[in-house]
């Protein structure tokens, strides 16, 4: 909003200073006033048009109505009804009307309209709908970008800022073109290069880097709403990442952007199309896909078609086409019929509206980029296999030492399961629960259709590792069965284990990782109810039932906790039995609960554990154990030995990761475009409703934008070539505007998604047009335009700003200085990995999972999806390759596009959550401690290490005044960690990467704190 207000101020200022001898221009001076104040009632949309008057078309604006009056009488302002209305003070006459809540026009605006009418009311188009012209730069020689920028600055009596410091320039350029900071070697080479073309060679080097394509791909993936899942409730995984790699390769190869567009719109329609061209069409399959039950697939299919048109409008035309889904555009020359004519190009894709595995058409392919992922995964498995063997051997030593004392404590009174005695019993729907002396709990009183039982209890054990639930037949139940429902059967939809602290209402969830039962009904024959494991997913549409087994016998289920539960003295355990089935009338009639402190067999089966077995024998010495019992005891011991469990868990995850990598190296089904044999008819959708058909339309485009060449086929291929034709006034402008945004943080048009009448005008219209034509004349070379911008003096300006300049141009619209803004979150992660030396530079391949807080996926999806961070070198790949779940984007990306619809505007964030994340995220802490370890290895004294850290993180040596500040922080941290080595150990446990064993842990932790401080400096997280 602030930027729009500032743009309006600039427009009014320009209007106020328009020289009397300079003719008024309709597109520049008049149309913006009409758009903001008049066209919502007197524009293209006939459904909201008042008095039958259109002010966007000259013939209608000057046409006399039945009373003989005209809104505009050329050469005669005083006879023009428009002028009379805008200067009136009568609330019944004045325009805009008071009901519109728009203020009266400013005097400067009224004068502009008066002059324009007096000059004959010459018409014209909105600037964006006129083809760009490449006028000669205001001054000859040098970079044309500088000529246009300086000409504007001279008009404002301003001068360009001085050149930024060399290290700042290279850091700025490296981030803009690769998304990474320069290495120390690259920085030193540049600083020592005194050749006149040193900067130009640095630009070309970075444009030729493989990281260039990765940086540009992050831009295009946001535009393309790319994600690795469908979205919505099911959020099924898809394998479209080969398209992501095609994008990266295309940018690195500098594929002409017009070909880049054509292949993504219609690669399948090109003669003798290649596999890559087929995969390219995944661009228009990156939309969300709705697989929710009960939804008509045809409605979803129509949504996908509409999404493609809206994406086309935002990404390439800079138009808010979505506004015409329900009616004619209120401001731009696009009708509802135009909109649905565009949908006709996409309406005959051979798709049904299904999601997940049913989201055809697919193209089967093998990825050339996947091999490294399998090598890395197998290497990680090998590492953890070795670690598992070592951990097992270490555990064996402890086991042997503790075996005899353990056996000596056993006697016949040992019981692995202890009954749970309730402090308090409750239900949510009115069932009265009573506990008997044998600890069984009976349901009495009202018998609601559904209910939730809650059992509050203290633990008599020091810890709890699992829970046993017995469902008891009881004579008061129906037919002496298991419930009071009509069938005597029960359905337990979910089981929750929680902890409550005395005097507080908050409950802490305890994770349950597994469940087994003596009998589970056939889900297919019981409405989805049967499997006891389904009680762990918070989904009332499934759960545990024993239907099909005898009702007159006890049934048992055992639940294993993810981690042993230890209660504080003022805490109690809360067991919640949820009975929320869609079938209802199946609440448990009688049950009993037990807890155990044993791990392993006891909580994973219904048979007695090994200690319970031994308790019933006379064996009390290790020498009396059989080989089989000895092995069972050792395996059971391992289930409770934390160092071994940590390694085993990692090995299991490594094996899962290897299986995923193996699948990624096999055949992959990529979602693509493909025409169906019989084309569908396309209709205007009345009010945009998917099944309300209006007039039939044929494939077509808004001719007010650009004509359709006769030689173009009426299909997606023709549409793509129309979009990138030289006669289309929008596409080249839209693209160079987004490239300018990449380099400066904002485009020359500050509303990159809207080049229409409601969007902002360009800050430098002649420069925008020059760059647009230059893009087309260069063969649509993205690298050429970026190189041209990067080698300009304008780009190389310092971002330092005076108070006067900040007051005059706070948003840097005049580009009198370098742009300064917070780097995007993905760059901050990649930068920390790069500085620490952890970055894995392998390109392409399947997605990986960086660190994120535990439980985020599980909570959102009721346990259906579990997030496991990638292990080994895969963890340290660039953020481009992050697995992107549509329902919840990677948690550390506070400013990213959500990838649900096309987004082209750069987001910025100043949320305190990002500051907390940069300090405390697992990846940030790991990068800091690895940097610390490297500094100690590289340098021998504290000051040298501090210099090393500053150069690695900030791309510069610390200033003289900064060294004492860093030293003070270091000394304070050293004192703390040497006095508290346990805290140092916590610092060094961040992440997965090993640390050199010869280093002193308190010293590494102290330098890690300094590294973290530097990583969080404003300078480190800002585009300077």
């Amino acid at each position: 909003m602030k930027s729009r207000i500032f743009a309006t101020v600039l427009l009014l200022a320009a209007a106020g200073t328009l020289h009397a001898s300079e003719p008024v221009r309709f597109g520049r001076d008049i149309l913006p006033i009409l758009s903001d104040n008049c066209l919502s009632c007197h524009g293209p949309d006939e459904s909201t048009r008042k008095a039958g008057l259109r002010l966007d078309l000259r013939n209608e604006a000057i046409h006399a109505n039945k009373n003989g009056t005209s809104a505009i009488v050329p050469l005669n302002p005083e006879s023009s009804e428009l002028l009379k209305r805008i200067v009136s003070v009568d609330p019944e006459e004045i325009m805009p009307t008071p009901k519109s809540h728009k203020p009266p026009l400013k005097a400067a605006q009224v004068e502009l309209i008066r002059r324009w009418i007096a000059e004959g009311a010459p018409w014209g188009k909105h600037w964006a709908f006129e083809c760009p012209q490449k006028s000669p730069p205001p001054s000859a020689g040098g970079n044309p970008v500088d000529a246009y920028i300086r000409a504007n600055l001279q008009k404002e009596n301003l001068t360009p800022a001085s050149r930024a410091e060399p290290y700042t320039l290279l850091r700025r350029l490296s981030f803009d073109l690769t998304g990474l900071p320069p290495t120390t070697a690259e920085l030193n080479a540049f600083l020592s290069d005194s050749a006149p073309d040193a900067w130009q060679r640095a630009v070309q080097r970075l444009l030729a880097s493989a990281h260039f394509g990765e940086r540009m791909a992050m831009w295009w993936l946001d535009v393309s709403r790319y994600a690795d899942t469908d979205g919505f409730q099911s959020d099924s995984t898809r394998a479209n990442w080969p398209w992501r790699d095609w994008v990266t390769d295309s940018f690195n190869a500098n594929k002409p952007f017009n070909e880049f567009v054509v292949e993504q719109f219609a690669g399948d329609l090109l003669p003798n199309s290649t596999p890559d061209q087929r995969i390219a069409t995944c661009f228009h399959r990156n939309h969300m896909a709705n697989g929710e039950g009960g939804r008509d697939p045809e409605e979803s299919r129509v949504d996908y078609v509409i999404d493609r048109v809206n994406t086309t409008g935002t990404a390439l035309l800079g138009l808010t086409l979505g506004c015409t889904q329900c009616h004619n555009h209120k401001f731009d020359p696009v009708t509802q019929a135009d909109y649905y004519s565009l949908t006709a190009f996409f309406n005959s894709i051979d798709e049904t509206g299904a999601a997940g595995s049913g989201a055809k058409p697919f193209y089967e392919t093998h990825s050339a980029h996947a091999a490294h992922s399998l090598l890395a995964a197998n290497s990680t498995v090998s590492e953890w296999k070795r670690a598992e063997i070592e951990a097992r051997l270490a555990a064996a030593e402890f086991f042997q030492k503790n075996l005899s004392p353990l056996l000596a404590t056993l006697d016949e009174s040992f019981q692995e399961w202890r009954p749970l005695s309730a402090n308090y019993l409750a239900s949510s729907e009115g069932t009265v629960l009573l506990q008997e002396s044998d600890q069984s709990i009976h349901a009495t009183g009202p018998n609601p259709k559904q209910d939730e039982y809650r059992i509050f209890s203290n633990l008599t054990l020091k810890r709890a590792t699992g829970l046993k639930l017995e469902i008891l037949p009881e004579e008061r139940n129906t037919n002496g069965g298991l419930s009071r429902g009509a069938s005597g059967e029960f359905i337990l939809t979910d089981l929750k284990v929680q902890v409550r602290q005395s005097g507080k209402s908050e409950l802490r969830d305890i994770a349950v990782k597994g469940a087994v039962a003596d009998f589970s009904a056939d889900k297919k024959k019981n409405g989805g109810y049967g499997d006891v494991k389904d009680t762990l997913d918070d989904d009332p549409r499934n759960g545990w039932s024993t239907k099909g087994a005898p009702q007159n016998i006890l049934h048992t289920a055992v639940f294993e906790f993810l981690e042993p539960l230890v209660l504080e003295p003022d805490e109690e355990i809360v067991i919640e039995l949820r009975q929320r089935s869609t079938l209802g009338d199946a609440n448990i009639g009688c049950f009993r609960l037990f807890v155990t402190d044993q791990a392993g067999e006891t909580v994973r089966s219904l048979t007695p554990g090994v200690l319970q077995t031994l308790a019933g024998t006379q064996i009390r010495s290790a020498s009396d154990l059989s080989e089989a019992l000895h092995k069972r005891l050792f395996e059971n011991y391992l289930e409770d030995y934390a160092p071994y469990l940590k390694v085993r868990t990692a090995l299991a995850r490594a094996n899962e990761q290897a299986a995923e990598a193996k699948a990624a190296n096999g055949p992959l089904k990529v979602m693509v475009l493909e025409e169906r044999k019989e084309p569908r008819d396309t209709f205007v959708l009345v009010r945009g409703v998917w099944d309300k058909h209006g007039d039939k339309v044929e494939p077509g485009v808004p001719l007010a934008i650009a004509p359709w060449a006769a030689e173009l086929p009426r299909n997606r291929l023709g549409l793509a070539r129309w979009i990138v034709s030289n006669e289309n006034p929008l596409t080249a402008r839209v693209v160079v505007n987004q490239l300018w945004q990449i380099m400066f943080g904002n485009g020359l048009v500050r509303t990159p998604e809207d080049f229409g009448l409601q969007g902002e005008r360009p800050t430098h219209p002649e420069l925008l047009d020059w760059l647009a034509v230059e893009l087309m004349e260069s063969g649509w070379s993205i690298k050429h335009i970026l190189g041209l911008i990067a080698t300009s003096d304008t780009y190389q300006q310092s971002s330092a700003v005076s108070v006067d300049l900040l007051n005059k141009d706070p948003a840097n619209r005049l580009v009198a200085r370098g742009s300064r803004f917070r780097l995007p979150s993905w760059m901050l992660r990649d930068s920390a990995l790069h500085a620490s030396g952890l970055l894995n530079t392998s390109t392409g391949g399947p997605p990986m999972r960086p660190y994120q807080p535990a439980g985020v996926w599980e909570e959102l999806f009721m346990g259906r999806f579990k997030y496991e961070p990638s292990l080994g070198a895969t963890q340290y790949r660039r953020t481009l390759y992050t697995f992107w779940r549509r329902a919840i984007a990677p948690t550390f990306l506070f400013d990213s596009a959500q990838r649900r619809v096309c987004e082209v505007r750069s987001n910025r964030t100043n949320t305190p959550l990002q500051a907390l994340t940069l300090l405390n995220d697992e990846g940030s802490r790991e990068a800091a401690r690895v940097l610390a370890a490297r500094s100690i290895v590289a340098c021998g004294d504290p000051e040298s290490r501090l210099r090393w850290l500053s150069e690695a993180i900030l791309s510069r040596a610390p200033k003289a005044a900064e060294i004492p500040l860093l030293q003070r922080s270091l000394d304070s941290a050293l004192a703390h960690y040497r006095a508290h080595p346990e805290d140092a150990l916590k610092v060094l446990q961040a992440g997965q990467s090993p640390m050199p064993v010869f280093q002193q842990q308190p010293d590494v932790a102290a330098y890690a704190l300094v590294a973290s401080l530097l990583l969080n400096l404003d300078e480190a997280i800002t585009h300077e």
Side-chain angles (χ1 to χ4, degrees):
M1 177 59 76
K2 289 183 179 179
S3 63
R4 184 66 187 270
I5 293 172
F6 188 77
T8 304
V9 171
L10 286 181
L11 178 64
L12 291 177
T17 58
L18 186 66
H19 198 274
S21 61
E22 183 180 349
V24 179
R25 288 168 53 184
F26 177 81
R28 180 192 66 189
D29 305 316
I30 302 302
L31 190 54
I33 299 174
L34 297 180
S35 175
D36 283 345
N37 298 280
C38 309
L39 295 190
S40 59
C41 296
H42 303 292
D45 185 10
E46 60 185 13
S47 66
T48 58
R49 193 179 303 144
K50 302 294 192 296
L53 173 63
R54 290 189 69 168
L55 293 176
D56 60 317
L57 297 178
R58 189 177 195 273
N59 288 342
E60 298 206 21
I62 66 175
H63 179 72
N65 64 16
K66 61 183 179 181
N67 297 323
T69 59
S70 299
I72 296 171
V73 180
L75 303 176
N76 193 343
E78 306 310 320
S79 299
S80 298
E81 190 69 17
L82 172 66
L83 189 64
K84 293 178 182 178
R85 292 297 188 98
I86 63 177
V87 299
S88 175
V89 295
D90 185 344
E92 298 297 323
E93 296 287 333
I94 189 172
M95 293 292 173
T97 66
K99 290 182 179 179
S100 70
H101 303 291
K102 294 179 179 179
L105 268 60
K106 304 291 185 183
Q109 293 174 308
V110 173
E111 180 57 26
L112 269 176
I113 292 175
R114 184 190 304 276
R115 282 185 52 193
W116 170 63
I117 296 174
E119 291 171 3
W123 223 258
K125 290 183 177 181
H126 175 56
W127 67 268
F129 301 142
E130 295 179 339
C131 285
Q133 303 297 317
K134 195 175 186 181
S135 57
S139 58
N143 191 310
V145 171
D146 297 323
Y148 286 106
I149 296 295
R150 287 172 180 170
N152 261 27
L153 293 179
Q154 288 174 4
K155 292 178 184 178
E156 300 293 332
N157 296 318
L158 295 172
T159 57
S162 60
R163 193 170 188 260
E165 292 287 342
Y167 72 85
T168 299
L169 275 181
L170 189 63
R171 184 175 174 87
R172 177 191 299 175
L173 183 70
S174 296
F175 274 122
D176 287 343
L177 295 186
T178 69
L180 296 169
T183 64
T184 302
E186 290 169 344
L187 184 65
N188 290 337
F190 175 71
L191 295 178
S192 62
D193 190 345
S194 58
D197 65 341
W199 179 251
Q200 286 76 7
R201 284 188 286 107
V203 171
Q204 292 306 314
R205 174 180 62 81
L206 291 169
L207 287 172
S209 166
H211 295 312
F212 169 77
E214 294 176 316
R215 189 268 171 270
M216 298 302 292
M218 280 300 285
W219 160 55
W220 196 248
L221 264 60
D222 284 350
V223 172
S224 309
R225 68 270 192 253
Y226 171 84
D228 295 295
T229 66
D230 286 347
F232 296 102
Q233 184 176 0
S234 59
D235 211 18
S236 300
T237 300
R238 46 176 66 167
N240 288 350
W241 53 265
W243 173 83
R244 176 247 289 152
D245 294 344
W246 175 86
V247 171
T248 303
D249 292 343
S250 296
F251 280 120
N252 277 332
N254 200 27
K255 181 187 288 288
F257 193 80
N258 57 343
E259 294 180 17
F260 183 70
V261 170
V262 167
E263 291 180 11
Q264 290 181 93
F265 272 66
D268 59 312
L269 301 181
L270 291 170
N272 303 313
S273 60
T274 66
D276 279 353
Q277 289 170 336
R278 295 291 305 279
I279 289 171
T281 64
C282 182
F283 170 79
H284 270 309
R285 298 297 310 282
N286 281 326
H287 51 74
M288 297 173 70
N290 194 335
E292 295 179 1
R295 181 179 171 89
D296 192 319
E298 177 64 10
E299 182 178 3
S300 295
R301 190 194 67 80
V302 171
D303 284 348
Y304 308 159
V305 172
I306 286 172
D307 173 273
R308 290 168 196 145
V309 173
N310 294 344
T311 296
T312 300
T314 303
L316 296 168
L317 301 177
L319 293 178
T320 54
L321 293 181
C323 293
T324 56
Q325 182 179 341
C326 303
H327 50 71
N328 293 342
H329 206 290
K330 293 184 182 298
F331 304 100
D332 299 331
V334 183
T335 67
Q336 190 182 23
D338 289 334
Y339 182 82
Y340 286 101
S341 293
L342 282 169
T343 69
F345 288 107
F346 302 105
N347 197 36
S348 291
I349 303 302
D350 189 19
E351 61 187 341
T352 63
S357 60
K360 69 167 192 169
F362 293 104
Y363 183 77
E364 189 169 297
T365 185
H366 284 76
S367 171
H369 292 282
H372 68 80
S373 66
L374 185 56
L375 289 173
N378 287 338
S379 175
T380 301
V381 170
S382 297
E383 291 173 8
W384 284 109
K385 279 184 176 179
R386 288 192 295 270
E388 193 269 346
I389 292 171
E390 293 171 1
R392 193 177 183 89
L393 291 173
E397 293 184 19
F398 284 95
F399 172 69
Q400 288 301 131
K401 292 178 182 178
N402 293 293
L403 180 55
S404 293
L406 172 65
L407 293 173
T409 62
L410 291 176
D411 59 40
E412 294 181 357
S413 65
F414 175 81
Q415 292 294 325
E416 58 185 357
W417 289 104
R418 307 285 181 87
L420 198 65
S421 179
N423 298 332
Y424 176 65
L425 297 168
S427 71
S428 61
E429 302 297 334
T431 300
V432 178
L433 300 176
L434 300 174
Q435 188 163 38
E436 304 290 349
S437 58
D438 64 353
Q439 308 306 324
S440 62
I441 299 172
H442 297 257
T444 65
N447 183 28
K449 185 175 181 180
Q450 299 169 324
D451 211 338
E452 294 170 356
Y453 300 164
R454 296 185 184 91
I455 301 90
F456 299 78
S457 176
N458 298 117
L459 287 180
T460 57
L461 300 170
K462 292 182 178 180
R463 69 171 194 173
T465 56
L467 180 76
K468 182 165 72 171
L469 170 65
E470 291 181 347
I471 309 297
L472 307 170
E474 212 267 337
E475 61 182 9
R476 287 173 284 186
N477 293 340
T478 302
N479 299 323
L482 304 171
S483 82
R484 294 190 293 162
S487 68
E489 301 285 354
F490 75 93
I491 298 176
L492 178 66
T493 53
D494 297 287
L495 178 136
K496 302 288 288 184
V497 180
Q498 299 169 315
V499 171
R500 184 177 71 169
Q501 188 176 12
S502 177
K504 295 185 178 180
S505 58
E506 295 88 354
L507 295 173
R508 183 176 86 249
D509 285 337
I510 303 303
V512 180
K513 76 172 186 178
V516 294
D518 65 330
F519 186 88
S520 289
D522 186 339
K523 295 168 62 172
K524 294 180 180 179
K525 297 180 180 179
N526 196 29
Y529 299 99
D531 194 342
V532 70
K533 293 184 177 65
D534 290 337
T535 60
L536 308 182
D537 64 3
D538 282 343
D539 189 343
R541 295 170 299 180
N542 56 37
W544 181 39
S545 171
T546 59
K547 186 175 181 180
Q551 292 186 9
N552 59 351
I553 63 171
L554 174 151
H555 290 287
T556 305
V558 170
F559 301 87
E560 180 183 9
F561 297 165
L562 179 63
E563 296 178 348
L565 169 61
V566 178
L567 294 181
E568 296 296 328
D570 61 344
E571 290 180 330
E572 62 182 350
I573 189 172
V574 183
I575 312 298
E576 184 174 292
L577 305 180
R578 294 184 180 178
Q579 297 150 103
R580 292 288 180 183
S581 75
T582 57
L583 304 177
D585 195 31
N587 299 332
I588 297 170
C590 184
F591 62 96
R592 185 162 43 216
L593 291 165
F594 300 82
V595 292
T596 184
D597 59 0
Q598 299 298 302
E601 297 176 350
T602 303
V603 289
R604 293 179 190 165
S605 72
L606 301 176
T607 57
V610 63
L611 291 182
Q612 188 69 61
T613 300
L614 285 170
T617 70
Q618 299 301 313
I619 298 175
R620 297 296 180 265
S621 170
S623 60
D624 295 332
L625 287 171
S626 66
E627 182 178 347
L629 277 174
H630 189 280
K631 183 179 179 180
R632 277 184 68 188
L633 272 171
F634 179 55
E635 294 298 331
N636 204 64
Y637 178 81
L638 290 177
E639 296 296 333
D640 217 12
Y641 187 64
Y644 174 78
L645 290 177
K646 182 178 179 181
V647 174
R648 191 183 68 179
T649 300
L651 176 59
R653 175 62 190 133
N655 281 320
E656 292 173 3
Q657 191 168 296
E660 293 169 0
K662 184 177 180 180
N665 278 265
L668 301 166
K669 297 174 75 173
V670 179
M671 298 164 64
V672 295
L673 297 180
E674 185 178 286
E675 294 292 302
R676 70 200 303 255
K677 292 180 180 179
E678 292 295 327
R680 294 184 179 94
D681 290 334
T682 304
F683 302 89
V684 172
L685 299 182
V686 179
R687 296 176 180 261
V689 179
W690 68 276
D691 60 349
K692 302 297 182 184
H693 290 179
D695 295 338
K696 184 179 178 180
V697 293
E698 299 298 329
V701 296
L703 296 179
I705 296 175
W708 183 274
E711 67 273 12
L712 293 179
R714 288 280 175 173
N715 58 17
R716 284 182 282 112
L717 183 58
L719 174 64
R721 288 179 172 157
W722 175 83
I723 289 171
V724 295
S725 70
N726 287 4
E727 287 70 38
N728 191 312
L730 290 167
T731 307
R733 281 183 173 125
V734 168
V735 173
V736 296
N737 187 63
Q738 292 184 35
L739 297 180
W740 188 275
Q741 180 175 267
I742 286 173
M743 302 296 277
F744 288 93
N746 285 296
L748 294 167
V749 176
R750 295 293 176 104
T751 53
E753 73 285 351
D754 188 3
F755 276 48
L757 272 72
Q758 285 294 289
E760 290 193 27
R761 287 183 56 81
T763 57
H764 300 76
E766 293 83 4
L767 173 57
L768 178 68
D769 282 7
W770 192 94
L771 288 171
V773 176
E774 181 71 11
L775 174 65
M776 293 185 284
E777 291 180 348
S778 71
W780 292 81
S781 171
I782 296 296
K783 287 188 177 183
H784 173 71
I785 297 299
L786 290 174
L788 190 67
I789 294 171
T791 52
S792 69
D793 292 341
T794 301
Y795 177 79
Q796 298 173 63
Q797 294 178 104
S798 168
S799 61
V801 59
S802 66
V803 174
D804 288 343
L805 179 57
L806 187 62
N807 289 333
K808 185 169 187 177
D809 185 15
N812 199 24
R813 291 171 179 272
L814 299 171
V815 203
R817 61 186 186 273
S819 297
R820 189 174 189 275
F821 52 88
R822 182 171 291 196
L823 292 168
S825 299
W826 69 266
M827 282 191 190
L828 296 181
R829 176 182 177 271
D830 290 1
S831 176
L833 289 174
H834 186 269
S836 66
L838 288 170
L839 183 68
N840 176 355
T841 58
S842 59
T843 58
M848 60 81 182
R849 293 174 173 83
Y851 303 118
Q852 77 173 24
V856 176
W857 281 14
E858 292 87 333
E859 182 173 348
L860 185 64
F861 291 99
M862 300 182 293
R864 191 157 49 92
F865 296 124
K866 184 178 181 181
Y867 190 92
E868 294 283 0
S870 296
L871 296 177
T874 303
Q875 172 61 221
Y876 309 112
R877 301 190 69 206
R878 295 198 67 175
T879 307
L880 171 67
Y881 306 110
T882 295
F883 186 93
W884 199 291
R885 183 163 290 288
R886 188 98 62 174
I888 179 165
T891 55
F892 60 91
L893 296 180
F894 289 97
D895 50 8
S896 70
Q898 291 302 298
R899 305 268 181 95
R900 294 172 183 168
V901 295
C902 172
E903 294 184 47
V904 294
R905 190 188 291 241
S906 295
N907 296 319
R908 303 275 182 260
T909 182
N910 60 357
T911 173
L913 288 176
Q914 186 179 39
L916 291 171
T917 297
L918 292 175
L919 283 167
N920 299 298
D921 176 73
E922 187 88 2
S924 298
R925 291 186 292 119
E926 181 178 25
R929 63 102 167 159
V930 172
L931 275 161
R934 290 183 62 204
S935 72
I936 292 173
V937 171
C939 306
D941 61 273
E943 184 171 329
S944 297
R945 292 167 181 167
L946 295 175
R947 289 180 179 277
W948 187 95
L949 286 171
S950 179
E951 290 174 359
I953 296 169
L954 303 178
S955 304
R956 66 169 178 84
K959 299 173 183 177
E962 294 171 337
I963 293 177
L965 298 176
L966 294 173
Q967 186 67 54
R968 187 169 64 196
S969 296
L970 175 64
D971 292 343
S972 175
L974 280 170
H976 175 81
Y977 289 125
R978 286 172 179 171
H980 302 87
E982 68 281 3
D983 289 348
L985 182 60
K986 293 177 183 178
V987 172
L988 303 184
Q989 288 174 337
Q992 306 171 18
S993 54
M995 60 166 284
V997 295
F998 59 84
Q999 292 177 348
Q1000 293 294 320
Q1001 291 183 350
D1003 292 35
V1004 179
Y1007 280 101
L1009 184 142
V1010 175
S1012 178
L1013 182 153
L1014 291 169
L1015 285 168
N1016 284 274
L1017 285 179
D1018 192 55
E1019 182 179 351
I1021 65 175
T1022 303
H1023 180 284
E1024 293 282 359

